[in-house]
Amino acid sequence: MARIEVFAPAKINLTLHVTGQRADGYHLLDSLVTFASVGDRLFIAVPANSLSLTVEGPESQGVPSDMRNLALRAAALVPFEGAALVLEKNLPSASGIGGGSADAAAAWRGMTYLKGDVFHWLADAPEPWLQAEMNNLLTLGADIPMCVHSSPMRVQGVGDKLIPVDLPSLPALLANPRLPVSTPSVFKALKLRDNPPMPAALPEFFDVGDLIDWLSVQRNDLQDAALCVEPGIAEVLSVLSALPGCRLARMSGSGATCFGLFETEEAAKAATYELHKIRPEWWKAGCLLGDQMRAAVPRDC
Ligand code: ATP
């Protein structure tokens, strides 16, 4: 009998530039992605007679526990006799922070770990094997391969080109007004503009302030489209921006979750407390955005 716990950190798009569209309709992106110290938790127990999933936790309402759930579909990609998965949903779904993708990546990490394969630490995995696995996961969702790594990266193409980057950890506050936004509806509302691209080479960031300054002149191209689909997002951006110490407020992914960035953890904590007082009904999380790879490695429990 073995039982493991796998952390599934939220994915945050610090920038998201839409650079074009392929003939098959898929949009081409250039996005600086990082991961939060807040996320879902997946527990996997073996042996089990079949592959099963139970969804629980504060954000579990409406999340499917059948084969529509990405965690179950990713687990099924790893040949294994049976496993009992329990998913603790802490991240709101359909909210632009890749909850389903993070869960799928966690399921893949966990099942591969249990299989006793090569996987203990991604850096140890043979490149051709890892590439083949990532291609499989990509068929389930464009964001899943980046969530497998859970470390800062620049993501290009349709989510298939992952370039690791070094970023200082960012104190942040995530806020979601509990308005689910469907990703396809945002892409439908998107008007492709001839916006300046992200620089080919990122500058060196010496501290948090440097990184926030640079991020301030970048964009999330989906933000305006998401505001058309869900005007309530405007309030989240304005409330975050007005919190003391907030240096930048932006939407992640296709929304509606927005993040506020702060120069210190103390400032982010004070803002989280303040937001809780003024918008108790919103989902919110004070956290650090950065490398979560170590935290995301499966562990016995
Ligand atoms: P992204 O940022 O990648 O667009 P998202 O945060 O907007 O993702 P998800 O939380 O992944 O969206 O949920 C999108 C849809 O996927 C939901 O409507 C839900 O029914 C379905 N879904 C499948 N698996 C999961 C899961 N493990 N957790 C949450 N939703 C899931």
Side-chain angles (χ1 to χ4, degrees):
M1 181 86 186
R3 188 170 184 263
I4 60 165
E5 176 184 341
V6 199
F7 179 52
K11 166 226 70 169
I12 303 296
N13 300 90
L14 292 171
T15 69
L16 198 164
H17 293 194
V18 180
T19 57
Q21 193 170 17
R22 290 197 319 203
D24 60 7
Y26 279 99
H27 286 88
L28 297 167
L29 309 176
D30 191 2
S31 177
L32 192 60
V33 172
T34 189
F35 291 86
S37 56
V38 59
D40 295 336
R41 292 196 305 163
L42 181 68
F43 299 89
I44 310 179
V46 289
N49 292 334
S50 60
L51 184 62
S52 67
L53 173 69
T54 308
V55 184
E56 55 186 44
E59 299 296 327
S60 56
Q61 208 189 348
V63 176
S65 58
D66 55 21
M67 266 309 194
R68 284 170 299 168
N69 195 299
L70 285 172
L72 206 49
R73 293 173 69 181
L77 288 180
V78 183
F80 208 88
E81 288 197 352
L85 277 59
V86 176
L87 176 60
E88 178 190 290
K89 277 305 290 182
N90 300 311
L91 303 174
S93 63
S95 71
I97 53 177
S101 307
D103 298 341
W108 179 85
R109 283 196 301 270
M111 295 301 289
T112 317
Y113 173 86
L114 284 168
K115 244 190 109 199
D117 257 1
V118 280
F119 182 79
H120 273 275
W121 192 245
L122 274 181
D124 298 337
E127 191 48 41
W129 174 83
L130 190 57
Q131 196 51 55
E133 294 289 313
M134 292 306 107
N135 289 344
N136 269 343
L137 290 173
L138 203 55
T139 64
L140 297 184
D143 289 353
I144 303 175
M146 64 182 97
C147 289
V148 164
H149 295 270
S150 295
S151 55
M153 58 186 65
R154 186 169 181 171
V155 179
Q156 293 176 326
V158 289
D160 52 330
K161 190 169 174 207
L162 310 181
I163 308 158
V165 294
D166 241 337
L167 295 183
S169 285
L170 287 163
L173 168 56
L174 311 182
N176 181 285
R178 302 201 167 280
L179 300 167
V181 173
S182 109
T183 303
S185 67
V186 173
F187 275 102
K188 231 176 176 174
L190 175 71
K191 291 186 183 70
L192 279 181
R193 295 198 184 96
D194 215 2
N195 285 323
M198 248 205 285
L202 299 187
E204 200 173 338
F205 303 113
F206 294 102
D207 57 29
V208 171
D210 258 4
L211 174 55
I212 299 178
D213 287 344
W214 184 83
L215 290 171
S216 303
V217 292
Q218 309 301 322
R219 315 175 302 275
N220 178 348
D221 285 338
L222 298 182
Q223 196 168 292
D224 285 347
L227 282 163
C228 293
V229 172
E230 180 43 77
I233 295 169
E235 195 200 349
V236 189
L237 291 167
S238 75
V239 168
L240 282 176
S241 305
L243 288 169
C246 181
R247 292 272 325 272
L248 171 67
R250 177 170 289 155
M251 192 186 82
S252 176
S254 53
T257 306
C258 299
F259 57 86
L261 298 180
F262 299 80
E263 292 215 17
T264 64
E265 285 184 61
E266 290 67 33
K269 271 190 196 139
T272 309
Y273 181 70
E274 187 57 29
L275 182 62
H276 189 65
K277 277 198 298 186
I278 57 175
R279 290 292 183 282
E281 70 282 13
W282 286 4
W283 178 87
K284 61 192 80 67
C287 59
L288 270 180
L289 304 181
D291 194 347
Q292 306 298 336
M293 194 193 237
R294 263 176 202 283
V297 170
R299 55 191 186 85
D300 299 311
C301 66

